[in-house]
Amino acid sequence: MPLIQWNNELSVGIASIDEQHKELINILNTLNDALEEGQASQMLAEIFDGLAAYTVKHFGYEEALFALHGYSESQAHKNEHSALINQVQVLRQKMLDGDFIICIEVMAFLKEWLTHHILITDKAYSQFLVDKGVV
Ligand SMILES: [Fe+2]
Ligand SMILES: [Fe+2]
């Protein structure tokens, strides 16, 4: 069963960003499946690194739009992004060193972080960027 299932409540009303969020959810679900299947840590590390790289790319995309359109909540939003980026290597190591329970905890944290960030922090820019014509 997927860890997170996309639903319309997660939409920020901007197609390009929804697609990126769907991709993040896909990679997170792939990582969760790999854990549940008991895949080797080499495989888990590769998927995790893919997730981390895509996360950086996605945050960069949002932040470029904030800069381009002068979004007033940009700094607080960027702070949330960088707090996660700073945590990523710790989470990676925790997962690779940890037992199954620790891995489940890391997944639960990432699920909670991503859904909360999309529903609250990303949705806060939705109307502003839509009004700027971002699609
Ligand atoms: Fe964001
Ligand atoms: Fe986002």
Side-chain angles (χ1 to χ4, degrees):
M1 205 181 87
L3 183 71
I4 307 180
Q5 218 137 18
W6 173 266
N7 63 74
N8 277 336
E9 205 198 331
L10 289 166
S11 175
V12 297
I14 297 165
S16 59
I17 293 176
D18 282 349
E19 286 312 307
Q20 292 174 19
H21 288 158
K22 284 177 189 170
E23 180 61 13
L24 283 172
I25 288 170
N26 278 340
I27 309 174
L28 203 50
N29 285 336
T30 303
L31 181 59
N32 194 58
D33 289 346
L35 275 170
E36 289 184 350
E37 290 160 8
Q39 297 282 356
S41 57
Q42 172 68 26
M43 170 73 97
L44 299 178
E46 276 175 30
I47 302 170
F48 193 98
D49 291 343
L51 176 64
Y54 195 81
T55 300
V56 170
K57 190 176 158 190
H58 168 65
F59 288 173
Y61 182 84
E62 287 186 346
E63 291 174 17
L65 287 171
F66 300 162
L68 184 64
H69 298 292
Y71 179 49
S72 63
E73 298 304 311
S74 170
Q75 196 52 56
H77 196 132
K78 280 156 72 173
N79 290 346
E80 274 193 37
H81 286 169
S82 34
L84 183 76
I85 301 286
N86 289 339
Q87 252 182 313
V88 156
Q89 289 313 314
V90 175
L91 291 169
R92 181 186 194 273
Q93 212 47 50
K94 202 173 161 184
M95 196 185 73
L96 295 179
D97 294 343
D99 57 18
F100 190 68
I101 299 294
I102 301 273
C103 290
I104 297 299
E105 282 172 13
V106 171
M107 296 309 301
F109 171 82
L110 288 171
K111 173 186 177 174
E112 174 60 25
W113 192 93
L114 185 61
T115 49
H116 183 269
H117 184 82
I118 292 173
L119 289 171
I120 308 295
T121 314
D122 284 351
K123 278 202 172 189
Y125 65 53
S126 185
Q127 197 57 54
F128 175 80
L129 291 182
V130 167
D131 288 347
K132 296 287 181 185
V134 177
V135 288

